[in-house]
Amino acid sequence: MDTLFTIDYKDYEPGWKTSSRPSARAIILMNDKSQPISPEDKIALVYAKNLGYYKFPGGGIKDREENTTALIREVAEETGLEVIPESIKEYGVVRRLMKSEMLPETIFIQDSFHYFCTVKNSAEGIPAIRKQNLDNYEKDDGFELRFVSLKEAVQTNLQFKSENPSKLVMIARETHVMTKLCGLPELMPRAYAEYLLKSAVAKNPGPWREHSLAVAEAAEKIAIAINEHSALNGNESAIMNPDLAYTCGLLHDIGRQAGHTYIAHVYDGYNFLKSLGYEFAAKICLTHSFNIQSTDEYIGKIDISAEKMEEVKALLAAAKYDDYDRLIQMLDATCGADGTKNLEARMNDVKLRYGYYPESKMKKNFELKEYFEKLMGRNLYEVIK
Ligand SMILES: [Fe+2]
């Protein structure tokens, strides 16, 4: 089966033993299957009404159970729908690796095998629904069958809040599959991004937390302001996704979790988010320090090997800058950790701390400010204050 993406927390030693618990998950589309899947398409999902999230019907494959047998059983248990065995078609697998919470020195591997399938209809031509058979945790979450658009399910999951990391990890995975399935941008639940930042700050506490939060909040506000202005003048191509802007802003400095580093935080942040399966946010980690698309005149030390530096150069040269890259570059240069949101003040502060600030980068930041002010039809500071 094709790999959709891999989620590797790399919080374990490579030599540890492994334990695995594969699962089978169903993609039950209600619309015409001959068309490419769109965000508007309706799908049968499990809605956890006591917590407010959507997931694909499915669950763990038992010992010696066939994947498809598990799929049919799990769909029946969680939703009461009856899968037509002949309709089952592979979609892709998501592999997750992380330190086991149960066993010492063990890597927990979970493969989630996703399958397209259709379900039996009643005489009236609508899906036949039998009684669910839920286990206790499914009852606690309030599992029920819902027919919703993928867009609505993703939107709901983006707002999902929980203090439970394993729930956040699970819902981030489900959301990621949903966005991939229907061609939405690579969105992640806001609470998941907040959890990643919180865990990272715990490893290396510092003012970069406040800086990251300030960039995230400002990025969201600017995206909303751009959308308001675009609606007025019909400039649809300028529309930005506020949730994506927020999470990109929140995670742009995530590489700082490794300690007080310079260009290494760019490299580490990129690789960290990439290993979690988030290519888009990883690219922001890479590009946020280079408003001019080059590693020349990097403000700070080159604290990575020559080999890694070549890698950064090649990745940067291949990157295609879009408005999310540009937005986080500008805000990184605007938002201080002390709550200040002023481009000149922040650039002067950086100049004081690092000894210099290249003229070309300064000029570029002012250009970016102007660029976004034009898209918003408003003054930057008025929007992000
Ligand atoms: Fe940074």
Side-chain angles (χ1 to χ4, degrees):
M1 197 182 275
D2 290 344
T3 298
L4 296 174
F5 54 91
T6 301
I7 308 166
D8 189 348
Y9 282 88
K10 296 190 173 163
D11 55 354
Y12 51 82
E13 299 295 328
W16 289 1
K17 57 183 178 299
T18 60
S19 108
S20 65
R21 186 178 177 271
S23 63
R25 304 186 190 278
I27 301 167
I28 307 165
L29 293 160
M30 308 315 292
N31 305 34
D32 178 4
K33 311 288 170 317
S34 63
Q35 299 294 320
I37 302 164
S38 91
E40 318 299 333
D41 283 344
K42 283 241 159 90
I43 184 168
L45 292 174
V46 169
Y47 181 62
K49 67 170 184 293
N50 297 337
L51 294 178
Y53 69 82
Y54 282 97
K55 71 175 239 12
F56 293 102
I61 301 165
K62 292 177 181 167
D63 279 348
R64 288 187 291 277
E65 190 180 31
E66 290 285 331
N67 288 11
T68 50
T69 311
L71 184 83
I72 295 167
R73 178 181 53 73
E74 283 285 344
V75 170
E77 285 172 7
E78 288 187 353
T79 67
L81 293 169
E82 210 178 324
V83 170
I84 301 169
E86 300 74 42
S87 73
I88 298 172
K89 217 175 88 202
E90 287 184 2
Y91 174 51
V93 60
V94 178
R95 167 164 278 204
R96 196 178 78 189
L97 300 104
M98 64 202 305
K99 185 172 140 187
S100 169
E101 282 169 10
M102 319 284 219
L103 306 160
E105 299 196 358
T106 303
I107 309 168
F108 176 62
I109 302 174
Q110 188 183 36
D111 285 330
S112 296
F113 298 101
H114 292 77
Y115 297 91
F116 289 111
C117 55
T118 46
V119 292
K120 286 186 186 157
N121 279 345
S122 66
E124 292 81 41
I126 53 166
I129 305 166
R130 297 183 183 188
K131 205 173 165 300
Q132 287 169 297
N133 180 15
L134 301 178
D135 64 27
N136 286 339
Y137 115 82
E138 294 167 344
K139 274 185 200 149
D140 288 346
D141 282 13
F143 277 18
E144 62 180 33
L145 170 65
R146 290 260 181 112
F147 300 98
V148 282
S149 70
L150 280 154
K151 192 176 162 187
E152 188 186 332
V154 167
Q155 209 45 49
T156 302
N157 283 4
L158 294 188
Q159 305 306 328
F160 173 75
K161 295 267 179 272
S162 173
E163 293 298 315
N164 179 347
S166 54
K167 273 261 139 76
L168 289 171
V169 167
M170 184 271 281
I171 289 149
R173 181 198 62 216
E174 296 290 295
T175 311
H176 197 162
V177 176
M178 289 174 198
T179 57
K180 244 191 165 51
L181 186 64
C182 66
L184 279 171
E186 208 178 66
L187 296 156
M188 68 175 93
R190 294 163 71 100
Y192 179 65
E194 287 156 8
Y195 155 72
L196 291 178
L197 180 67
K198 194 175 156 194
S199 319
V201 169
K203 289 182 200 156
N204 177 33
W208 67 279
R209 175 185 177 269
E210 282 65 36
H211 167 71
S212 302
L213 285 169
V215 171
E217 279 160 21
E220 181 178 18
K221 284 179 181 169
I222 291 172
I224 292 169
I226 289 175
N227 294 352
E228 285 168 358
H229 192 62
S230 304
L232 289 177
N233 60 21
N235 182 12
E236 266 190 37
S237 65
I239 286 174
M240 292 188 81
N241 186 307
D243 291 301
L244 189 60
Y246 176 83
T247 52
C248 284
L250 205 63
L251 301 178
H252 78 281
D253 262 346
I254 195 86
R256 296 212 179 278
Q257 64 185 320
H260 188 86
T261 55
Y262 298 88
I263 206 165
H265 91 279
V266 169
Y267 183 85
D268 292 342
Y270 172 81
N271 283 298
F272 176 71
L273 291 181
K274 216 173 131 66
S275 70
L276 296 188
Y278 290 106
E279 304 268 342
F280 193 88
K283 184 177 128 220
I284 300 289
C285 291
L286 176 80
T287 63
H288 84 272
S289 291
F290 310 103
N291 64 2
I292 292 167
Q293 201 168 348
S294 155
T295 55
D296 299 345
E297 299 195 288
Y298 175 72
I299 310 169
K301 287 180 207 154
I302 305 299
D303 51 353
I304 52 176
S305 67
E307 207 183 10
K308 286 181 178 176
M309 192 62 188
E310 285 311 309
E311 220 182 298
V312 170
K313 280 182 186 169
L315 287 167
L316 194 63
K320 280 200 174 64
Y321 281 17
D322 59 28
D323 280 352
Y324 294 90
D325 298 285
R326 290 186 271 269
L327 180 61
I328 306 304
Q329 286 158 6
M330 180 195 65
L331 289 173
D332 188 40
T334 302
C335 301
D338 51 359
T340 53
K341 288 190 181 110
N342 183 289
L343 186 54
E344 260 179 314
R346 164 94 168 147
M347 285 196 296
N348 281 330
D349 174 56
V350 172
K351 198 172 179 176
L352 272 176
R353 284 189 288 137
Y354 292 83
Y356 74 112
Y357 206 112
E359 199 59 44
S360 56
K361 284 192 173 237
M362 276 202 183
K363 205 175 140 237
K364 186 70 195 183
N365 282 334
F366 286 118
E367 275 172 34
L368 288 174
K369 177 172 175 281
E370 232 173 85
Y371 173 76
F372 284 106
E373 287 183 327
K374 213 169 163 189
L375 289 180
M376 297 186 288
R378 288 172 71 185
N379 173 275
L380 171 68
Y381 303 125
E382 194 190 296
V383 174
I384 65 173
K385 67 177 180 259

